[in-house]
Amino acid sequence: MAPIDLPGSEQATGPTARRMILGTQLRRLREKAGITRAKAAWEIRASESKISRMELGRVGFKERDVTDLLTMYGVHDPAEREWAVKMVKESNQPGWWHPYNDLVPGWFDNYIGLEEAASRIRTYELMFVPGLLQTERYARAVISHGDPDSRDEGVERKVGLRMRRQKLLSGPKPPRLWAVLDEAVLERPFGGAAVLKQQISHLLELIELPNVTIQVIPFDMSWFAAESAFSLLQFAEPDLPNIAYVEHLNGAQYLEKPEDLEVYGRAFDRLAVDAETPDRTRQMLLKKREEL
C-alpha cells in the first residue's frame, strides 16, 4: 500500500480533537482497503457500532485495537503505525476538565474538548448569556437557579469550570467567537438587577476584543430564523469536521452531515442579518445598563 498522508495535530490541542483526527484517519484507511465496518469489528472482537463510534472519535482507543486494524487495512509502514500509536496515547490523556467529570455529563464532556480546539465558534442563545461570556455572579445565579451568592460546593465547582472554559478567549490562539443573543436574554435578571447590570458591563468589555462579535436580535425579529439555541464549531485542523451542537434537557446532538450543517449555517446567517449590527448592539447594551 502506498504511504498515507498523516494529518497534523498541532492545532488539535486536546484529547477530544485527537480522537476525532485518529478516527477520521481509520475510516479513510478502512474505506481505501474496501473493508466493511462489520468485518473490521470482527477483527477486534467488537460491534459494528463501536467501529462507528471510534471513527467518529466518540470513544477512547485501545492501542491493540488500532494496531490490529492498521494491519488489517494493510498499513505496515513504521512511521504511519508510530503516528497512530502516538495519537492513541495522546487522545487517552485526560483533559484539563477531568477533575470536573463528576459534574459534567458525558454528552457535554465532548463539547468542552471541541470548544477548546475550535478556531471559530458561532452561537445563538435565547435564554442566557452564553457560558463563555458570563460573569462569575451571573453564572452562579444561573447554575444555582437564582442565587448569585450561593456557596454550595457543587455550584462553586460548576462556576469554576465555566470560568476556566473562558480562558480560551484570551489565550495565545483564541477562537473567533460570534454570539447572537435574543433580546429576551437582556430582560431576564438572573440573580437580580445588579447582577444583570454587571453582566451587561462585561459584555461591553468583551465586544472590544478583536476576536469577539456580539449581536442582539430585537423582539420583533427574534422568532424568524431558529426556534432553539445552537452552536456551530469550525476547526483550523482540516481533519476535524465542522459540527453543529444542539443541547436539550437530557443530552445533546452533534451534527456533522453536510445537509444538517447547511441548515444551521443558513439559520445563523439569517439571525446575523436580522440582528442589530455590532455597533447598534453596543448602543442597546449601554441603554439597557442605564435603565437598570
Side-chain angles (χ1 to χ4, degrees):
M1 175 177 285
I4 59 175
D5 292 325
L6 299 180
S9 59
E10 292 79 6
Q11 298 294 329
T13 57
T16 304
R18 286 184 166 88
R19 281 202 309 268
M20 293 179 67
I21 292 171
L22 179 56
T24 298
Q25 193 68 4
L26 289 174
R27 175 183 56 77
R28 289 175 179 168
L29 291 169
R30 178 182 59 76
E31 291 174 347
K32 185 175 182 179
I35 295 172
T36 65
R37 285 196 182 99
K39 189 173 181 181
W42 185 88
E43 178 70 16
I44 63 170
R45 304 154 298 281
S47 66
E48 188 173 347
S49 64
K50 180 178 178 179
I51 294 294
S52 178
R53 292 195 301 273
M54 289 174 65
E55 293 181 350
L56 290 170
R58 301 289 167 77
V59 293
F61 295 93
K62 294 180 180 178
E63 183 176 330
R64 177 183 172 182
D65 289 344
V66 171
T67 55
D68 285 351
L69 289 173
L70 291 175
T71 299
M72 185 185 198
Y73 300 158
V75 179
H76 303 291
D77 182 84
E80 296 167 10
R81 296 175 71 91
E82 181 181 351
W83 173 86
V85 170
K86 179 183 177 183
M87 288 294 282
V88 169
K89 293 177 179 177
E90 292 179 351
S91 69
N92 286 334
Q93 292 176 357
W96 61 260
W97 58 94
H98 179 72
Y100 301 94
N101 276 359
D102 59 318
L103 301 174
V104 178
W107 47 264
F108 190 65
D109 179 275
N110 280 333
Y111 181 80
I112 297 176
L114 294 172
E115 180 182 74
E116 182 184 43
S119 60
R120 188 183 188 201
I121 302 171
R122 291 176 289 167
T123 186
Y124 172 56
E125 184 56 71
L126 299 89
M127 292 289 292
F128 315 103
V129 171
L132 289 178
L133 305 177
Q134 293 178 5
T135 65
E136 186 171 327
R137 294 196 76 209
Y138 184 94
R140 187 176 290 108
V142 171
I143 291 169
S144 67
H145 305 290
D147 182 3
D149 299 312
S150 171
R151 289 296 180 266
D152 176 82
E153 181 181 357
V155 171
E156 282 296 284
R157 292 181 64 215
K158 288 180 180 179
V159 171
L161 171 61
R162 191 159 300 179
M163 296 301 103
R164 173 62 179 81
R165 284 171 54 205
Q166 295 179 4
K167 289 185 177 181
L168 66 87
L169 291 180
S170 56
K173 293 183 179 180
R176 184 79 174 85
L177 176 64
W178 187 353
V180 176
L181 314 181
D182 191 284
E183 186 177 356
V185 171
L186 306 180
E187 298 295 329
R188 292 191 176 92
F190 290 105
V195 172
L196 180 57
K197 186 174 183 177
Q198 182 188 45
Q199 175 63 67
I200 291 175
S201 293
H202 186 56
L203 293 177
L204 286 165
E205 294 173 1
L206 289 170
I207 60 178
E208 299 301 324
L209 296 176
N211 58 309
V212 175
T213 298
I214 299 174
Q215 292 180 265
V216 173
I217 301 183
F219 282 123
D220 59 350
M221 298 293 289
S222 62
W223 60 273
F224 292 121
E227 299 176 351
S228 62
F230 64 90
S231 295
L232 295 166
L233 281 71
Q234 293 176 258
F235 306 90
E237 171 59 61
D239 287 277
L240 286 174
N242 294 335
I243 289 174
Y245 173 80
V246 185
E247 195 171 303
H248 45 84
L249 285 176
N250 62 345
Q253 289 180 291
Y254 292 82
L255 306 174
E256 302 174 19
K257 294 181 179 179
E259 55 267 31
D260 293 328
L261 293 172
E262 181 178 0
V263 168
Y264 281 93
R266 285 177 181 240
F268 191 89
D269 290 344
R270 180 65 190 184
L271 290 164
V273 170
D274 289 345
E276 299 286 8
T277 65
D279 186 59
R280 282 282 301 152
T281 292
R282 182 176 180 276
Q283 298 304 315
M284 286 182 68
L285 292 172
L286 287 168
K287 181 179 179 182
K288 180 60 182 177
R289 185 174 66 175
E290 290 176 3
E291 293 172 352
L292 290 169

